[in-house]
Amino acid sequence: MNFETISTIPKPSYASGSVDNIAVFDRLDELSELKLPAKIDFILSILCEQGTLTLEYDTTSRQLTSRELMVLKPGHVLHAYHASAGFRGHVIVVGTGMLGNTLTAMSKVLPCFLKYKDTPVIKLTPDEIAMQTALRSILRKKTSSSGHLYRDDVIRSILECLFYDTLGLYASYAPSRHPAEGMRRRDALLHKFIELVEANFQQERSVAFYADALCVTPKHLSASIREASGRTAGEWIDSYVLIEAKLMLRNTGLTIQEISTKLNFQNQSFFGKYFKRLCGQSPRDYRAHPNS
């Protein structure tokens, strides 16, 4: 069967502002761009407060009931969904780029993140559902607001809080074991890759370096990382470098030349071109207007 890949994040009618990698809905049918069947290229999180929601994806079907939470990673194929008349809940769509620019220690959360595929649905306690509902309600209000100078920063912070709370819930329902135990080979490779990136990104930006360290080819590494996470190996490396550069520009008195040296660029000009390609601003402009 043919299906299209949905990679852009659709916006509800009330949305405004510049955060383009996240949207919050009441129902899946508000995703007007979601023409089924469709292969999703974003993270889909559904919290069922009341009623039922049945989803058919890949080769299976799951029904969410009251107080159940479901998270689907990029790569799943959605075929159909049906909500009961009394369904009430929250549907959150998050682009992988949003998380990559928010979470700076992915190796600590990847084991739980990878659990989403094998255990997509968990049952929450009344206290857990209350916390999730509160966070999601705040996130929705902020994504629908405008005019706040630090609106985007607030949204990213709420999303990070919600993400860690969700990871904690999944971790509590998963058996305790070493992070790499029981993972598929592809997912274990992703976990090891992220650990290597966190340890080496300030000095090494080449996919070939990480592929060599993991005893695979650069092509195999990029394809495997893309399949497991929705982003290529190069995109993950770039996200770590960009986050670190932004932190240095915003929170230190280092010169741009000193920052480029710390991040192992050949010179300030090369760093400037790299930063502008990823950020859309020069390092100097970003330092002067970090929230523009």
Side-chain angles (χ1 to χ4, degrees):
M1 179 181 291
N2 294 325
F3 53 85
E4 61 178 316
T5 297
I6 304 297
S7 57
T8 57
I9 304 300
K11 285 294 193 182
S13 59
Y14 59 78
S16 61
S18 59
V19 175
D20 298 322
N21 289 303
I22 179 171
V24 185
F25 303 88
D26 288 328
R27 306 174 67 91
L28 271 175
D29 52 23
E30 291 184 56
L31 284 161
S32 58
E33 287 89 343
L34 197 60
K35 308 300 182 183
L36 301 181
K39 184 175 183 179
I40 63 172
D41 194 25
F42 44 71
I43 296 169
L44 180 62
S45 174
I46 305 172
L47 180 68
C48 180
E49 294 182 72
Q50 181 177 300
T52 64
L53 177 67
T54 302
L55 286 92
E56 296 178 19
Y57 64 96
D58 299 339
T59 58
T60 190
S61 176
R62 298 296 296 264
Q63 184 182 75
L64 275 72
T65 59
S66 176
R67 299 206 329 264
E68 286 191 327
L69 172 65
M70 182 178 199
V71 178
L72 292 180
K73 285 175 53 187
H76 287 289
V77 177
L78 287 179
H79 296 282
Y81 57 86
H82 174 72
S84 66
F87 173 79
R88 187 180 77 226
H90 299 269
V91 179
I92 299 179
V93 178
V94 183
T96 54
M98 184 74 172
L99 292 181
N101 289 326
T102 302
L103 302 173
T104 59
M106 282 300 292
S107 65
K108 296 179 178 63
V109 298
L110 268 175
C112 296
F113 184 81
L114 295 172
K115 283 287 180 187
Y116 289 165
K117 185 162 188 177
D118 297 324
T119 314
V121 180
I122 58 176
K123 186 82 169 182
L124 305 184
T125 67
D127 286 344
E128 291 168 344
I129 199 79
M131 177 60 71
Q132 281 278 312
T133 299
L135 289 171
R136 288 163 184 258
S137 297
I138 294 171
L139 183 63
R140 174 165 186 162
K141 288 178 181 178
K142 285 299 180 182
T143 56
S144 63
S145 66
S146 61
H148 193 297
L149 178 61
Y150 299 104
R151 171 184 175 273
D152 289 3
D153 294 310
V154 171
I155 290 173
R156 291 186 182 94
S157 296
I158 298 169
L159 177 62
E160 187 166 8
C161 181
L162 176 61
F163 189 64
Y164 277 118
D165 186 71
T166 303
L167 286 168
L169 294 174
Y170 272 82
S172 67
Y173 286 92
S176 178
R177 63 190 180 192
H178 185 273
E181 290 181 7
M183 288 187 188
R184 292 183 177 87
R185 183 175 300 178
R186 179 198 63 200
D187 292 338
L189 181 64
L190 171 62
H191 186 265
K192 293 176 182 177
F193 168 71
I194 293 296
E195 285 188 324
L196 277 174
V197 173
E198 289 185 352
N200 297 280
F201 75 89
Q202 290 195 15
Q203 297 299 315
E204 299 289 346
R205 293 184 299 278
S206 167
V207 174
F209 168 84
Y210 297 97
D212 185 60
L214 294 166
C215 301
V216 296
T217 67
K219 182 178 180 180
H220 175 76
L221 179 63
S222 285
S224 298
I225 298 305
R226 169 74 177 180
E227 186 178 358
S229 71
R231 310 179 83 197
T232 66
E235 287 171 338
W236 275 113
I237 297 166
D238 285 344
S239 71
Y240 273 85
V241 176
L242 182 62
I243 289 170
E244 187 71 9
K246 286 181 174 180
L247 289 173
M248 289 183 182
L249 288 166
R250 294 178 67 168
N251 303 322
T252 76
L254 295 174
T255 66
I256 294 174
Q257 175 61 58
E258 289 171 333
I259 293 173
S260 67
T261 300
K262 280 184 173 291
L263 293 176
N264 199 29
F265 284 88
Q266 295 176 4
N267 52 56
Q268 180 177 332
S269 176
F270 189 81
F271 168 64
K273 292 177 181 177
Y274 176 93
F275 187 92
K276 187 169 184 177
R277 175 173 62 84
L278 296 177
C279 185
Q281 294 176 281
S282 69
R284 193 178 305 278
D285 288 343
Y286 178 82
R287 171 167 271 175
H289 307 287
N291 296 299
S292 62

